[in-house]
Amino acid sequence: MTLFDDTEEKFSSGPASTSSPLADRMRPENLDEFMGQQHLTGPGKILRRIIEEDRLVSIIFWGPPGCGKTTLARIIANKTKSRFISYSAVISGIKQIKDVMEIASYELRTSKRRTILFIDEIHRFNKAQQDAFLPYVENGTIILIGATTENPSFEVISALISRCKVFVLYKLSNADISTLIKRALSDKKRGLGNHNIEIDDRTVEFISEYSDGDSRIAYNILELAAGSDSKNFIKKNISGKNETSVKIDIPLIENIIQKHALLYDKNGEEHFNLISALHKSMRGSDPDASAYWTLRMIEAGEDPLYILRRMSRFASEDIGLADPNAMGIVIAAKDTFEFIGPPEGYLAIIEASIYLSMAPKSNSLYAASGLIQEDIKRFQSLPVPYHIRNAPTRLMKEIGYSKGYMYPHNYHDAIINQKFLPERIQDRTYYHPTDRGFELELKKRLENIARIKKQLDSESKNKPGKQ
């Protein structure tokens, strides 16, 4: 059948073919078989009630791979009395969307039957594609169910989000994955129950930990292991019968997986989560966490120079003058990494993260910048005081440019009692050093400068001719 004929397109309500991948065969067919997401599908929870009572609203399922987004859509397809259409955003264009909308409108108009449209990987739709079906969601022609691994706040237009209920799904726990593995091993109809597999709990736990909450990864590993080479097949004689079994152990699994590919998308939410974790760990003075998140991003493929740029920002934003060496440490790490290269150069980046985490903290520079920006926005272009204006020509000097400027080096301690801010804000104080690190010394210097200026001001007032 084609996607756009009058026949409803549903996910298959029966078990998948024995030739289908194990992950597809073991997909739950109802909520009782569904694993995880108890905050949504547990007894009395909102999503369970919506599905069981068939009173659906437009929904976006947001969660990591293998957590059950598509499975929930299949369960809804099998439960609902509505017409159910499914396709992937990867292969669909605006024309196809409009064709679906026409059919949905016809169904609603002629038979009063709702159409549920499931879109996998909805984050791959661009704004124009999302705009194309927005009116039909608004007027109730379709009920939209979208699945995405990306934060919908970034990837789905706000008008669409506001008309959908966003359900957040979390990656499955190791215990959940272990349960699914054991279920697949014992299931003789859909799983591997007829394969006479030998596997111990440690190996099941090893697969669960590696899968990192993704049930699909766990099923794929298990299926590969069950069909692996002959070295893992054992001939047994049980009651006079030759039976073939396969032994699945940790060395076999390590050989299958080769290397762990960390979940990371340089343009997605996890990218921002990890850099946020690093920033907050350094701000929280935790060298262990700082080193962990730094290496975690490096191992996941992040650009080391991006990490160093963020560290440079941190050095001025969260340390500032409490430790003037912090910025130099970051720049030195950058030069070292570029000079040595990976993997040895990564140590310089980790060294910088540990140093920054242990440096005294101050956001005085950041706070001063914020106060200055407020004044700039409020007062716009305040004129530069005449005594500190540039006076390269005779005319400028004649109209007062640079008149009255006091050259500090001509005075004791090179300190003068003169204002340098625009007249309207000349008494503002933006920079307030803390009592931490080198800023304590700077605070003492500021207090000394203020004392000398006060003394100069007093002396100026007491000169003859002053009132």
Side-chain angles (χ1 to χ4, degrees):
M1 59 170 279
T2 64
L3 180 61
F4 309 115
D5 62 23
D6 289 335
T7 307
E8 56 190 297
E9 182 187 346
K10 284 202 175 194
F11 289 119
S12 173
S13 58
S17 165
T18 54
S19 62
S20 300
L22 179 63
D24 195 44
R25 301 201 307 271
M26 292 303 300
R27 197 182 294 274
E29 298 175 7
N30 54 62
L31 288 175
D32 292 331
E33 293 182 359
F34 188 79
M35 184 63 64
Q37 319 307 333
Q38 287 298 299
H39 63 296
L40 299 176
T41 62
K45 298 300 182 179
I46 181 170
L47 185 58
R48 176 179 281 270
R49 295 202 312 268
I50 287 175
I51 294 174
E52 289 181 342
E53 297 170 12
D54 196 15
R55 50 182 182 87
L56 291 169
V57 295
S58 289
I59 292 171
I60 294 178
F61 290 129
W62 169 33
C67 69
K69 300 183 296 296
T70 303
T71 296
L72 284 173
R74 285 177 179 261
I75 292 172
I76 290 172
N78 294 335
K79 185 74 175 177
T80 186
K81 295 182 177 64
S82 302
R83 186 169 179 271
F84 197 99
I85 297 177
S86 166
Y87 62 80
S88 171
V90 178
I91 57 174
S92 305
I94 292 179
K95 182 180 183 303
Q96 291 170 302
I97 295 171
K98 290 181 177 179
D99 289 342
V100 172
M101 297 308 115
E102 288 181 9
I103 296 172
S105 297
Y106 176 81
E107 286 282 334
L108 186 64
R109 187 172 60 253
T110 58
S111 63
K112 307 298 182 184
R113 194 182 187 199
R114 301 175 305 171
T115 295
I116 297 174
L117 176 63
F118 173 66
I119 301 176
D120 194 16
E121 299 185 275
I122 192 172
H123 58 274
R124 293 181 180 270
F125 268 150
N126 59 36
K127 184 179 183 299
Q129 290 171 309
Q130 294 181 37
D131 281 336
F133 55 72
L134 177 60
Y136 300 94
V137 175
E138 288 179 322
N139 64 24
T141 300
I142 64 166
I143 293 173
L144 173 69
I145 299 178
T148 177
T149 57
E150 302 295 332
N151 189 330
S153 299
F154 301 150
E155 306 296 340
V156 181
I157 59 175
S158 57
L160 196 56
I161 290 179
S162 67
R163 289 161 177 81
C164 296
K165 174 65 177 175
V166 178
F167 288 116
V168 181
L169 280 65
Y170 303 105
K171 68 179 184 180
L172 301 180
S173 68
N174 288 351
D176 290 336
I177 298 292
S178 294
T179 299
L180 292 176
I181 291 172
K182 292 175 181 178
R183 185 184 292 175
L185 290 167
S186 62
D187 191 320
K188 294 184 177 181
K189 185 177 181 182
R190 297 182 294 170
L192 303 171
N194 295 316
H195 284 59
N196 201 13
I197 292 172
E198 291 186 9
I199 185 171
D200 58 28
D201 289 340
R202 286 184 63 249
T203 305
V204 171
E205 291 172 6
F206 184 80
I207 298 173
S208 301
E209 290 175 2
Y210 174 82
S211 300
D212 195 25
D214 189 331
S215 60
R216 193 178 296 107
I217 290 177
Y219 284 132
N220 290 344
I221 291 172
L222 189 62
E223 190 166 30
L224 284 170
S228 57
D229 63 63
S230 59
K231 288 187 295 183
N232 293 284
F233 282 87
I234 304 170
K235 287 284 186 179
K236 285 190 173 183
N237 191 293
I238 302 175
S239 301
K241 295 181 180 180
N242 286 329
E243 293 187 2
T244 303
S245 67
V246 59
K247 181 180 180 181
I248 299 178
D249 53 19
I250 291 178
L252 173 62
I253 301 302
E254 288 177 331
N255 185 52
I256 289 173
I257 63 180
Q258 297 296 312
K259 183 182 178 184
H260 191 167
L262 293 173
L263 172 64
Y264 193 68
D265 180 352
K266 294 182 185 179
N267 299 311
E269 189 205 5
E270 192 68 5
H271 162 81
F272 296 104
N273 285 341
L274 292 181
I275 196 63
S276 175
L278 171 59
H279 201 121
K280 290 180 173 66
S281 297
M282 293 190 298
R283 183 185 290 154
S285 302
D286 188 330
D288 298 308
S290 300
Y292 171 82
W293 293 118
T294 299
L295 192 55
R296 168 85 174 267
M297 284 189 289
I298 290 173
E299 288 291 323
E302 182 56 81
D303 179 3
L305 293 179
Y306 170 78
I307 299 173
L308 287 162
R309 285 194 293 271
R310 288 296 297 243
M311 288 182 177
S312 178
R313 167 188 164 183
F314 180 88
S316 57
E317 181 177 313
D318 285 276
I319 297 174
L321 293 171
D323 185 349
N325 291 324
M327 186 66 74
I329 292 291
V330 177
I331 300 305
K334 168 187 170 293
D335 292 343
T336 301
F337 173 74
E338 291 181 332
F339 184 59
I340 299 177
E344 292 84 357
Y346 293 149
L347 285 176
I349 304 175
I350 296 171
E351 178 183 345
S353 73
I354 291 175
Y355 185 95
L356 295 180
S357 71
M358 298 177 69
K361 304 302 188 294
S362 170
N363 66 350
S364 296
L365 288 178
Y366 185 74
S369 174
L371 293 173
I372 293 169
Q373 286 179 335
E374 288 178 8
D375 274 353
I376 291 173
K377 290 178 181 178
R378 179 182 177 188
F379 298 110
Q380 299 297 318
S381 301
L382 293 176
V384 177
Y386 271 76
H387 66 280
I388 56 173
R389 291 189 181 189
N390 184 36
T393 69
R394 181 178 176 180
L395 174 62
M396 288 179 171
K397 291 178 181 177
E398 289 177 350
I399 60 177
Y401 280 43
S402 200
K403 183 179 180 179
Y405 172 64
M406 301 166 66
Y407 186 58
H409 296 287
N410 291 338
Y411 297 84
H412 182 65
D413 290 329
I415 295 175
I416 57 176
N417 188 26
Q418 193 165 45
K419 304 290 186 180
F420 295 94
L421 282 169
E423 183 178 359
R424 195 166 181 183
I425 57 171
Q426 65 179 5
D427 293 322
R428 287 279 201 276
T429 301
Y430 297 116
Y431 178 56
H432 298 275
T434 67
D435 294 329
R436 297 184 291 277
F438 187 67
E439 277 200 327
L440 178 58
E441 172 63 23
L442 296 179
K443 187 174 185 179
K444 293 177 181 177
R445 293 181 188 181
L446 279 176
E447 290 171 349
N448 185 53
I449 292 170
R451 180 183 58 78
I452 295 174
K453 285 187 174 183
K454 185 176 181 180
Q455 182 180 339
L456 291 173
D457 186 50
S458 177
E459 291 173 357
S460 174
K461 289 179 179 178
N462 291 330
K463 282 184 179 181
K466 294 286 184 181
Q467 298 295 324

